[in-house]
PDB file of all heavy atoms in Angstrom:
ATOM      1  N   SER B 269     -27.313 -26.974   8.446  1.00 95.00           N
ATOM      2  CA  SER B 269     -26.194 -26.581   7.572  1.00 95.00           C
ATOM      3  C   SER B 269     -25.204 -27.716   7.406  1.00 95.00           C
ATOM      4  O   SER B 269     -24.642 -27.914   6.333  1.00 95.00           O
ATOM      5  CB  SER B 269     -25.443 -25.389   8.150  1.00 95.00           C
ATOM      6  OG  SER B 269     -26.281 -24.320   8.349  1.00 95.00           O
ATOM      7  N   TYR B 270     -24.941 -28.455   8.474  1.00 95.00           N
ATOM      8  CA  TYR B 270     -23.949 -29.518   8.386  1.00 95.00           C
ATOM      9  C   TYR B 270     -24.495 -30.735   7.654  1.00 95.00           C
ATOM     10  O   TYR B 270     -23.845 -31.306   6.785  1.00 95.00           O
ATOM     11  CB  TYR B 270     -23.487 -29.911   9.783  1.00 95.00           C
ATOM     12  CG  TYR B 270     -22.415 -30.968   9.763  1.00 95.00           C
ATOM     13  CD1 TYR B 270     -21.150 -30.678   9.246  1.00 95.00           C
ATOM     14  CD2 TYR B 270     -22.655 -32.260  10.223  1.00 95.00           C
ATOM     15  CE1 TYR B 270     -20.165 -31.645   9.194  1.00 95.00           C
ATOM     16  CE2 TYR B 270     -21.673 -33.224  10.170  1.00 95.00           C
ATOM     17  CZ  TYR B 270     -20.438 -32.906   9.656  1.00 95.00           C
ATOM     18  OH  TYR B 270     -19.461 -33.868   9.596  1.00 95.00           O
ATOM     19  N   GLN B 271     -25.740 -31.128   8.007  1.00 95.00           N
ATOM     20  CA  GLN B 271     -26.294 -32.329   7.395  1.00 95.00           C
ATOM     21  C   GLN B 271     -26.449 -32.175   5.885  1.00 95.00           C
ATOM     22  O   GLN B 271     -26.250 -33.115   5.130  1.00 95.00           O
ATOM     23  CB  GLN B 271     -27.645 -32.630   8.026  1.00 95.00           C
ATOM     24  CG  GLN B 271     -28.181 -33.988   7.644  1.00 95.00           C
ATOM     25  CD  GLN B 271     -29.474 -34.299   8.395  1.00 95.00           C
ATOM     26  OE1 GLN B 271     -29.992 -33.468   9.134  1.00 95.00           O
ATOM     27  NE2 GLN B 271     -29.993 -35.488   8.184  1.00 95.00           N
ATOM     28  N   TYR B 272     -26.834 -30.981   5.457  1.00 94.00           N
ATOM     29  CA  TYR B 272     -27.067 -30.772   4.025  1.00 94.00           C
ATOM     30  C   TYR B 272     -25.980 -29.893   3.414  1.00 94.00           C
ATOM     31  O   TYR B 272     -26.237 -29.165   2.470  1.00 94.00           O
ATOM     32  CB  TYR B 272     -28.447 -30.133   3.823  1.00 94.00           C
ATOM     33  CG  TYR B 272     -29.557 -31.022   4.313  1.00 94.00           C
ATOM     34  CD1 TYR B 272     -30.201 -30.782   5.528  1.00 94.00           C
ATOM     35  CD2 TYR B 272     -29.944 -32.135   3.579  1.00 94.00           C
ATOM     36  CE1 TYR B 272     -31.205 -31.613   5.990  1.00 94.00           C
ATOM     37  CE2 TYR B 272     -30.943 -32.978   4.032  1.00 94.00           C
ATOM     38  CZ  TYR B 272     -31.565 -32.711   5.236  1.00 94.00           C
ATOM     39  OH  TYR B 272     -32.557 -33.536   5.687  1.00 94.00           O
ATOM     40  N   LYS B 273     -24.775 -29.984   3.930  1.00 91.00           N
ATOM     41  CA  LYS B 273     -23.759 -29.029   3.476  1.00 91.00           C
ATOM     42  C   LYS B 273     -23.431 -29.143   1.985  1.00 91.00           C
ATOM     43  O   LYS B 273     -23.046 -28.164   1.367  1.00 91.00           O
ATOM     44  CB  LYS B 273     -22.500 -29.096   4.329  1.00 91.00           C
ATOM     45  CG  LYS B 273     -21.605 -30.274   4.113  1.00 91.00           C
ATOM     46  CD  LYS B 273     -20.486 -30.355   5.146  1.00 91.00           C
ATOM     47  CE  LYS B 273     -19.646 -29.125   5.246  1.00 91.00           C
ATOM     48  NZ  LYS B 273     -18.325 -29.371   5.827  1.00 91.00           N
ATOM     49  N   GLU B 274     -23.618 -30.335   1.407  1.00 92.00           N
ATOM     50  CA  GLU B 274     -23.341 -30.460  -0.028  1.00 92.00           C
ATOM     51  C   GLU B 274     -24.434 -29.819  -0.871  1.00 92.00           C
ATOM     52  O   GLU B 274     -24.190 -29.286  -1.937  1.00 92.00           O
ATOM     53  CB  GLU B 274     -23.216 -31.942  -0.432  1.00 92.00           C
ATOM     54  CG  GLU B 274     -22.178 -32.725   0.339  1.00 92.00           C
ATOM     55  CD  GLU B 274     -20.794 -32.117   0.246  1.00 92.00           C
ATOM     56  OE1 GLU B 274     -20.447 -31.632  -0.843  1.00 92.00           O
ATOM     57  OE2 GLU B 274     -20.083 -32.110   1.260  1.00 92.00           O
ATOM     58  N   GLU B 275     -25.680 -29.909  -0.362  1.00 93.00           N
ATOM     59  CA  GLU B 275     -26.804 -29.422  -1.179  1.00 93.00           C
ATOM     60  C   GLU B 275     -27.081 -27.937  -0.991  1.00 93.00           C
ATOM     61  O   GLU B 275     -27.573 -27.282  -1.895  1.00 93.00           O
ATOM     62  CB  GLU B 275     -28.087 -30.190  -0.822  1.00 93.00           C
ATOM     63  CG  GLU B 275     -28.062 -31.667  -1.219  1.00 93.00           C
ATOM     64  CD  GLU B 275     -27.606 -32.557  -0.078  1.00 93.00           C
ATOM     65  OE1 GLU B 275     -26.732 -32.145   0.696  1.00 93.00           O
ATOM     66  OE2 GLU B 275     -28.137 -33.668   0.029  1.00 93.00           O
ATOM     67  N   LEU B 276     -26.801 -27.439   0.217  1.00 91.00           N
ATOM     68  CA  LEU B 276     -27.163 -26.055   0.493  1.00 91.00           C
ATOM     69  C   LEU B 276     -25.970 -25.138   0.322  1.00 91.00           C
ATOM     70  O   LEU B 276     -24.825 -25.534   0.538  1.00 91.00           O
ATOM     71  CB  LEU B 276     -27.663 -25.915   1.942  1.00 91.00           C
ATOM     72  CG  LEU B 276     -28.930 -26.659   2.314  1.00 91.00           C
ATOM     73  CD1 LEU B 276     -29.181 -26.521   3.807  1.00 91.00           C
ATOM     74  CD2 LEU B 276     -30.116 -26.127   1.535  1.00 91.00           C
ATOM     75  N   SER B 277     -26.256 -23.883  -0.032  1.00 90.00           N
ATOM     76  CA  SER B 277     -25.157 -22.917   0.004  1.00 90.00           C
ATOM     77  C   SER B 277     -25.661 -21.637   0.646  1.00 90.00           C
ATOM     78  O   SER B 277     -25.924 -20.646  -0.034  1.00 90.00           O
ATOM     79  CB  SER B 277     -24.600 -22.661  -1.382  1.00 90.00           C
ATOM     80  OG  SER B 277     -25.512 -21.956  -2.153  1.00 90.00           O
ATOM     81  N   ALA B 278     -25.821 -21.688   1.935  1.00 91.00           N
ATOM     82  CA  ALA B 278     -26.258 -20.502   2.661  1.00 91.00           C
ATOM     83  C   ALA B 278     -25.496 -20.452   3.974  1.00 91.00           C
ATOM     84  O   ALA B 278     -25.126 -21.484   4.523  1.00 91.00           O
ATOM     85  CB  ALA B 278     -27.754 -20.576   2.945  1.00 91.00           C
ATOM     86  N   HIS B 279     -25.231 -19.246   4.424  1.00 93.00           N
ATOM     87  CA  HIS B 279     -24.575 -19.089   5.718  1.00 93.00           C
ATOM     88  C   HIS B 279     -25.446 -18.192   6.576  1.00 93.00           C
ATOM     89  O   HIS B 279     -25.784 -17.074   6.169  1.00 93.00           O
ATOM     90  CB  HIS B 279     -23.176 -18.478   5.526  1.00 93.00           C
ATOM     91  CG  HIS B 279     -22.523 -18.083   6.820  1.00 93.00           C
ATOM     92  ND1 HIS B 279     -21.669 -17.018   6.943  1.00 93.00           N
ATOM     93  CD2 HIS B 279     -22.596 -18.620   8.063  1.00 93.00           C
ATOM     94  CE1 HIS B 279     -21.248 -16.906   8.194  1.00 93.00           C
ATOM     95  NE2 HIS B 279     -21.792 -17.881   8.897  1.00 93.00           N
ATOM     96  N   LEU B 280     -25.824 -18.708   7.736  1.00 95.00           N
ATOM     97  CA  LEU B 280     -26.642 -17.906   8.655  1.00 95.00           C
ATOM     98  C   LEU B 280     -25.825 -17.558   9.895  1.00 95.00           C
ATOM     99  O   LEU B 280     -25.145 -18.400  10.466  1.00 95.00           O
ATOM    100  CB  LEU B 280     -27.873 -18.714   9.097  1.00 95.00           C
ATOM    101  CG  LEU B 280     -29.116 -18.601   8.237  1.00 95.00           C
ATOM    102  CD1 LEU B 280     -28.895 -19.191   6.864  1.00 95.00           C
ATOM    103  CD2 LEU B 280     -30.281 -19.293   8.898  1.00 95.00           C
ATOM    104  N   ILE B 281     -25.929 -16.317  10.313  1.00 97.00           N
ATOM    105  CA  ILE B 281     -25.339 -15.909  11.593  1.00 97.00           C
ATOM    106  C   ILE B 281     -26.501 -15.777  12.568  1.00 97.00           C
ATOM    107  O   ILE B 281     -27.510 -15.144  12.250  1.00 97.00           O
ATOM    108  CB  ILE B 281     -24.608 -14.560  11.466  1.00 97.00           C
ATOM    109  CG1 ILE B 281     -23.424 -14.688  10.507  1.00 97.00           C
ATOM    110  CG2 ILE B 281     -24.112 -14.090  12.819  1.00 97.00           C
ATOM    111  CD1 ILE B 281     -22.702 -13.384  10.292  1.00 97.00           C
ATOM    112  N   VAL B 282     -26.352 -16.365  13.740  1.00 97.00           N
ATOM    113  CA  VAL B 282     -27.438 -16.337  14.727  1.00 97.00           C
ATOM    114  C   VAL B 282     -27.043 -15.424  15.874  1.00 97.00           C
ATOM    115  O   VAL B 282     -25.932 -15.526  16.419  1.00 97.00           O
ATOM    116  CB  VAL B 282     -27.714 -17.754  15.270  1.00 97.00           C
ATOM    117  CG1 VAL B 282     -28.821 -17.725  16.311  1.00 97.00           C
ATOM    118  CG2 VAL B 282     -28.093 -18.684  14.136  1.00 97.00           C
ATOM    119  N   GLY B 283     -27.944 -14.512  16.240  1.00 97.00           N
ATOM    120  CA  GLY B 283     -27.641 -13.623  17.369  1.00 97.00           C
ATOM    121  C   GLY B 283     -28.874 -13.418  18.211  1.00 97.00           C
ATOM    122  O   GLY B 283     -29.991 -13.382  17.681  1.00 97.00           O
ATOM    123  N   GLY B 284     -28.714 -13.304  19.511  1.00 97.00           N
ATOM    124  CA  GLY B 284     -29.879 -13.086  20.353  1.00 97.00           C
ATOM    125  C   GLY B 284     -29.495 -12.887  21.808  1.00 97.00           C
ATOM    126  O   GLY B 284     -28.307 -12.781  22.152  1.00 97.00           O
ATOM    127  N   TRP B 285     -30.542 -12.832  22.622  1.00 97.00           N
ATOM    128  CA  TRP B 285     -30.343 -12.635  24.053  1.00 97.00           C
ATOM    129  C   TRP B 285     -31.112 -13.694  24.798  1.00 97.00           C
ATOM    130  O   TRP B 285     -32.259 -13.994  24.473  1.00 97.00           O
ATOM    131  CB  TRP B 285     -30.864 -11.241  24.431  1.00 97.00           C
ATOM    132  CG  TRP B 285     -30.692 -10.911  25.893  1.00 97.00           C
ATOM    133  CD1 TRP B 285     -29.666 -10.240  26.470  1.00 97.00           C
ATOM    134  CD2 TRP B 285     -31.593 -11.254  26.968  1.00 97.00           C
ATOM    135  NE1 TRP B 285     -29.853 -10.134  27.829  1.00 97.00           N
ATOM    136  CE2 TRP B 285     -31.020 -10.756  28.168  1.00 97.00           C
ATOM    137  CE3 TRP B 285     -32.809 -11.939  27.035  1.00 97.00           C
ATOM    138  CZ2 TRP B 285     -31.631 -10.914  29.417  1.00 97.00           C
ATOM    139  CZ3 TRP B 285     -33.419 -12.110  28.277  1.00 97.00           C
ATOM    140  CH2 TRP B 285     -32.824 -11.594  29.456  1.00 97.00           C
ATOM    141  N   ASP B 286     -30.494 -14.297  25.812  1.00 95.00           N
ATOM    142  CA  ASP B 286     -31.263 -15.161  26.712  1.00 95.00           C
ATOM    143  C   ASP B 286     -30.813 -14.893  28.136  1.00 95.00           C
ATOM    144  O   ASP B 286     -29.774 -14.274  28.377  1.00 95.00           O
ATOM    145  CB  ASP B 286     -31.152 -16.640  26.331  1.00 95.00           C
ATOM    146  CG  ASP B 286     -29.729 -17.167  26.420  1.00 95.00           C
ATOM    147  OD1 ASP B 286     -29.009 -16.851  27.398  1.00 95.00           O
ATOM    148  OD2 ASP B 286     -29.331 -17.901  25.499  1.00 95.00           O
ATOM    149  N   ARG B 287     -31.612 -15.378  29.089  1.00 94.00           N
ATOM    150  CA  ARG B 287     -31.359 -15.037  30.491  1.00 94.00           C
ATOM    151  C   ARG B 287     -30.054 -15.614  30.992  1.00 94.00           C
ATOM    152  O   ARG B 287     -29.404 -15.038  31.843  1.00 94.00           O
ATOM    153  CB  ARG B 287     -32.516 -15.561  31.351  1.00 94.00           C
ATOM    154  CG  ARG B 287     -33.389 -14.468  31.885  1.00 94.00           C
ATOM    155  CD  ARG B 287     -34.251 -14.993  33.002  1.00 94.00           C
ATOM    156  NE  ARG B 287     -34.703 -16.326  32.717  1.00 94.00           N
ATOM    157  CZ  ARG B 287     -35.985 -16.687  32.643  1.00 94.00           C
ATOM    158  NH1 ARG B 287     -36.925 -15.789  32.818  1.00 94.00           N
ATOM    159  NH2 ARG B 287     -36.323 -17.924  32.376  1.00 94.00           N
ATOM    160  N   ARG B 288     -29.676 -16.760  30.437  1.00 94.00           N
ATOM    161  CA  ARG B 288     -28.500 -17.437  30.988  1.00 94.00           C
ATOM    162  C   ARG B 288     -27.201 -16.801  30.523  1.00 94.00           C
ATOM    163  O   ARG B 288     -26.277 -16.609  31.299  1.00 94.00           O
ATOM    164  CB  ARG B 288     -28.518 -18.919  30.589  1.00 94.00           C
ATOM    165  CG  ARG B 288     -27.479 -19.737  31.363  1.00 94.00           C
ATOM    166  CD  ARG B 288     -27.278 -21.100  30.791  1.00 94.00           C
ATOM    167  NE  ARG B 288     -28.447 -21.955  30.944  1.00 94.00           N
ATOM    168  CZ  ARG B 288     -28.475 -23.245  30.574  1.00 94.00           C
ATOM    169  NH1 ARG B 288     -27.416 -23.786  30.041  1.00 94.00           N
ATOM    170  NH2 ARG B 288     -29.562 -23.962  30.720  1.00 94.00           N
ATOM    171  N   GLY B 289     -27.130 -16.476  29.216  1.00 93.00           N
ATOM    172  CA  GLY B 289     -25.836 -16.024  28.686  1.00 93.00           C
ATOM    173  C   GLY B 289     -25.818 -14.571  28.235  1.00 93.00           C
ATOM    174  O   GLY B 289     -24.809 -14.088  27.757  1.00 93.00           O
ATOM    175  N   GLY B 290     -26.939 -13.854  28.348  1.00 93.00           N
ATOM    176  CA  GLY B 290     -26.956 -12.477  27.852  1.00 93.00           C
ATOM    177  C   GLY B 290     -26.909 -12.466  26.339  1.00 93.00           C
ATOM    178  O   GLY B 290     -27.432 -13.344  25.671  1.00 93.00           O
ATOM    179  N   GLY B 291     -26.236 -11.444  25.795  1.00 95.00           N
ATOM    180  CA  GLY B 291     -26.149 -11.315  24.347  1.00 95.00           C
ATOM    181  C   GLY B 291     -25.120 -12.301  23.804  1.00 95.00           C
ATOM    182  O   GLY B 291     -24.045 -12.457  24.367  1.00 95.00           O
ATOM    183  N   GLN B 292     -25.474 -13.004  22.743  1.00 96.00           N
ATOM    184  CA  GLN B 292     -24.530 -13.976  22.165  1.00 96.00           C
ATOM    185  C   GLN B 292     -24.625 -13.960  20.642  1.00 96.00           C
ATOM    186  O   GLN B 292     -25.705 -13.749  20.096  1.00 96.00           O
ATOM    187  CB  GLN B 292     -24.845 -15.393  22.622  1.00 96.00           C
ATOM    188  CG  GLN B 292     -24.711 -15.612  24.120  1.00 96.00           C
ATOM    189  CD  GLN B 292     -25.679 -16.672  24.576  1.00 96.00           C
ATOM    190  OE1 GLN B 292     -25.519 -17.841  24.300  1.00 96.00           O
ATOM    191  NE2 GLN B 292     -26.730 -16.257  25.260  1.00 96.00           N
ATOM    192  N   VAL B 293     -23.488 -14.204  20.003  1.00 97.00           N
ATOM    193  CA  VAL B 293     -23.433 -14.293  18.544  1.00 97.00           C
ATOM    194  C   VAL B 293     -22.802 -15.633  18.187  1.00 97.00           C
ATOM    195  O   VAL B 293     -21.770 -16.004  18.731  1.00 97.00           O
ATOM    196  CB  VAL B 293     -22.565 -13.152  17.961  1.00 97.00           C
ATOM    197  CG1 VAL B 293     -22.294 -13.377  16.484  1.00 97.00           C
ATOM    198  CG2 VAL B 293     -23.242 -11.814  18.175  1.00 97.00           C
ATOM    199  N   TYR B 294     -23.444 -16.347  17.268  1.00 97.00           N
ATOM    200  CA  TYR B 294     -22.900 -17.632  16.813  1.00 97.00           C
ATOM    201  C   TYR B 294     -22.762 -17.617  15.305  1.00 97.00           C
ATOM    202  O   TYR B 294     -23.660 -17.175  14.591  1.00 97.00           O
ATOM    203  CB  TYR B 294     -23.821 -18.800  17.191  1.00 97.00           C
ATOM    204  CG  TYR B 294     -23.889 -19.062  18.671  1.00 97.00           C
ATOM    205  CD1 TYR B 294     -24.794 -18.359  19.474  1.00 97.00           C
ATOM    206  CD2 TYR B 294     -23.059 -19.990  19.276  1.00 97.00           C
ATOM    207  CE1 TYR B 294     -24.852 -18.582  20.836  1.00 97.00           C
ATOM    208  CE2 TYR B 294     -23.116 -20.222  20.645  1.00 97.00           C
ATOM    209  CZ  TYR B 294     -24.013 -19.511  21.418  1.00 97.00           C
ATOM    210  OH  TYR B 294     -24.075 -19.733  22.766  1.00 97.00           O
ATOM    211  N   ALA B 295     -21.616 -18.123  14.818  1.00 95.00           N
ATOM    212  CA  ALA B 295     -21.421 -18.280  13.371  1.00 95.00           C
ATOM    213  C   ALA B 295     -21.607 -19.752  13.034  1.00 95.00           C
ATOM    214  O   ALA B 295     -21.228 -20.631  13.810  1.00 95.00           O
ATOM    215  CB  ALA B 295     -20.029 -17.826  12.978  1.00 95.00           C
ATOM    216  N   THR B 296     -22.239 -20.034  11.868  1.00 93.00           N
ATOM    217  CA  THR B 296     -22.517 -21.437  11.533  1.00 93.00           C
ATOM    218  C   THR B 296     -22.001 -21.789  10.146  1.00 93.00           C
ATOM    219  O   THR B 296     -22.575 -22.628   9.460  1.00 93.00           O
ATOM    220  CB  THR B 296     -24.032 -21.706  11.568  1.00 93.00           C
ATOM    221  OG1 THR B 296     -24.647 -20.920  10.532  1.00 93.00           O
ATOM    222  CG2 THR B 296     -24.634 -21.351  12.889  1.00 93.00           C
ATOM    223  N   LEU B 297     -20.926 -21.164   9.723  1.00 88.00           N
ATOM    224  CA  LEU B 297     -20.404 -21.363   8.369  1.00 88.00           C
ATOM    225  C   LEU B 297     -20.033 -22.804   8.109  1.00 88.00           C
ATOM    226  O   LEU B 297     -19.298 -23.409   8.878  1.00 88.00           O
ATOM    227  CB  LEU B 297     -19.188 -20.459   8.191  1.00 88.00           C
ATOM    228  CG  LEU B 297     -18.596 -20.359   6.810  1.00 88.00           C
ATOM    229  CD1 LEU B 297     -19.610 -19.801   5.838  1.00 88.00           C
ATOM    230  CD2 LEU B 297     -17.369 -19.474   6.849  1.00 88.00           C
TER     231      LEU B 297
END
Side-chain angles (χ1 to χ4, degrees):
Chain B
S269 303
Y270 182 67
Q271 191 175 4
Y272 298 103
K273 75 188 305 202
E274 304 303 322
E275 292 94 324
L276 296 174
S277 70
H279 171 212
L280 271 66
I281 296 177
V282 179
W285 181 94
D286 62 43
R287 251 196 322 239
R288 192 192 293 184
Q292 297 150 71
V293 170
Y294 292 86
T296 64
L297 188 61

